[in-house]
Amino acid sequence: MKVTIVGAGNVGATCADVISYRGIASEVVLLDIKEGFAEGKAMDIMQCATTTGFNTRVSGSTNDYSKTANSNVVVITSGIPRKPGMTREELIGINAGIVKSVADNVLKYSPDAIIVVVSNPMDTMAYLTLKATGLPKNRIIGMGGALDSSRFKYYLSQALNKPSNDVQGMVIGGHGDTTMIPLTRIASYNGSPVSDFLSQEVLDKVAADTMVGGATLTGLLGTSAWYAPGASVAYLVDSILNDQRKMIACSVYLEGEYGQSDICMGVPCIIGKNGIEEIVNINLDEKEKGLFAKSADAVRSMNDALKSVLA
Ligand SMILES: NC(=O)C1=CN([C@@H]2O[C@H](COP(=O)(O)OP(=O)(O)OC[C@H]3O[C@@H](n4cnc5c(N)ncnc54)[C@H](O)[C@@H]3O)[C@@H](O)[C@H]2O)C=CC1
Ligand SMILES: O=C([O-])CC(=O)C(=O)O
């Protein structure tokens, strides 16, 4: 199975690294516009093959899309990341043009690929990719919920002082500092509600920390995060390529689900060989429904800014 990752920067290269050492795909192509950059990252990753013991072939390409031909999955991480103090939404002006041209180029050589959109503002970039390419909705997956949910479980594990892998939880809604919805009500510690162990005040802080998880790291690092984002993309790609049918919160085009239409937003999805196999309808309470509608309003107003790109 072949995966192309467009954008060999922090997130793209980390994703290639995790896909390789976990043996998720037999071939990975990294592509970037910076001369020699993707080739360099690919060579560096390949020189781990004997020490970490993998057989995936990783190669790089400077903007030559013919090398990406017949990819099963294409990941789009090209574009600029935010700097401290910025929101993801501020990236739209530059990233919309990049994402649209990349999506057009990859489809020329991999017309059947499933596209995973990572560039920010991610929900709007997923919507742009869907509208610009006209692909069926199962083949456009925005990655954000997998990462936000892993951060949510991290903050819950810190509050509980228990391992992250013993914690279950999910974040739905938009992938933005104010639009994410960490579902504290249904989060659990090995099957027991986390509210059995944590006060409402602590749970509110966990949710607030989760929502600004990306901003916190951007403040610490000077650019946005890459280890957890890259690993989260690899996790999603694994579920597609190996038809694992995992339930992962992904940004997907909604047609009435969760009361929303004509928008890409994070909801629980079954992810398998066809991409989005199913949108799972979980029961939200009235407060969560209200938060979802508010989140949709914000994502929709960002999508309005795409009119000139899509015209
Ligand atoms: N959805 C999510 O959960 C996450 C999204 N992101 C987003 O992912 C994007 C990438 O972040 P980083 O990897 O940290 O940035 P980066 O700056 O390290 O890498 C971006 C790469 O894209 C390349 N690029 C730019 N235009 C291109 C084009 N037209 N064709 C091919 N390559 C091109 C650049 O040369 C650069 O190497 C950002 O927009 C960031 O906000 C980052 C983390 C998580
Ligand atoms: O924070 C950012 O800008 C990058 C991102 O989406 C994340 O790490 O969640």
Side-chain angles (χ1 to χ4, degrees):
M1 292 286 204
K2 178 170 175 177
V3 177
T4 283
I5 302 169
V6 183
N10 285 337
V11 177
T14 305
C15 176
D17 193 33
V18 177
I19 287 178
S20 308
Y21 75 67
R22 291 196 42 221
I24 291 169
S26 52
E27 185 177 358
V28 175
V29 177
L30 273 168
L31 183 145
D32 204 284
I33 40 163
K34 255 188 266 173
E35 185 70 40
F37 190 62
E39 289 85 340
K41 291 282 180 109
M43 195 185 289
D44 195 10
I45 292 171
M46 279 303 279
Q47 290 170 1
C48 302
T50 54
T51 44
T52 60
F54 67 78
N55 295 302
T56 300
R57 295 184 307 283
V58 187
S59 61
S61 161
T62 303
N63 226 23
D64 177 1
Y65 281 85
S66 67
K67 299 203 170 128
T68 70
N70 301 318
S71 294
N72 301 90
V73 174
V74 174
V75 178
I76 303 181
T77 66
S78 46
I80 55 164
R82 64 173 158 169
K83 296 250 178 286
M86 290 173 76
T87 65
R88 296 176 180 87
E89 286 76 8
E90 287 173 67
L91 307 173
I92 190 171
I94 294 179
N95 287 355
I98 294 175
V99 168
K100 183 172 181 298
S101 76
V102 166
D104 289 343
N105 281 326
V106 292
L107 284 174
K108 284 181 200 152
Y109 292 92
S110 302
D112 300 323
I114 291 167
I115 300 184
V116 177
V117 181
V118 182
S119 309
N120 274 316
M122 180 278 294
D123 301 287
T124 299
M125 294 302 104
Y127 181 82
L128 167 65
T129 306
L130 187 120
K131 292 287 171 182
T133 62
L135 288 183
K137 63 187 269 183
N138 62 299
R139 286 176 51 199
I140 309 285
I141 309 176
M143 196 299 293
L147 171 64
D148 302 333
S149 301
S150 72
R151 287 186 178 141
F152 182 36
K153 288 179 264 191
Y154 161 79
Y155 282 115
L156 282 169
S157 80
Q158 295 287 299
L160 289 160
N161 196 22
K162 298 289 186 301
S164 288
N165 285 312
D166 278 357
V167 177
Q168 296 79 38
M170 191 164 45
V171 177
I172 60 170
H175 178 62
D177 296 345
T178 57
T179 56
M180 274 175 220
I181 308 165
L183 294 172
T184 47
R185 183 182 59 87
I186 57 172
S188 68
Y189 169 54
N190 272 331
S192 298
V194 286
S195 54
D196 286 359
F197 311 100
L198 300 172
S199 67
Q200 191 56 48
E201 194 188 352
V202 170
L203 285 174
D204 289 345
K205 178 157 180 359
V206 164
D209 287 346
T210 302
M211 292 172 76
V212 295
T216 300
L217 287 164
T218 305
L220 292 168
L221 298 167
T223 184
S224 57
W226 58 90
Y227 292 113
S232 301
V233 180
Y235 176 76
L236 185 59
V237 171
D238 197 10
S239 197
I240 301 168
L241 290 186
N242 295 304
D243 197 25
Q244 291 168 335
R245 300 182 64 86
K246 284 202 177 102
M247 184 166 89
I248 303 175
C250 294
S251 188
V252 57
Y253 190 69
L254 299 178
E255 293 171 295
E257 299 91 346
Y258 292 88
Q260 297 298 328
S261 292
D262 195 33
I263 191 166
C264 289
M265 275 181 76
V267 293
C269 298
I270 302 298
I271 303 295
K273 64 180 186 307
N274 300 304
I276 307 279
E277 303 281 354
E278 187 187 327
I279 294 174
V280 180
N281 186 28
I282 54 169
N283 284 327
L284 300 181
D285 67 15
E286 288 311 311
K287 184 174 165 219
E288 292 155 354
K289 282 182 190 162
L291 289 172
F292 197 86
K294 206 167 140 235
S295 177
D297 288 345
V299 173
R300 196 168 273 113
S301 67
M302 190 47 41
N303 292 350
D304 287 344
L306 290 176
K307 283 194 177 115
S308 59
V309 189
L310 284 168

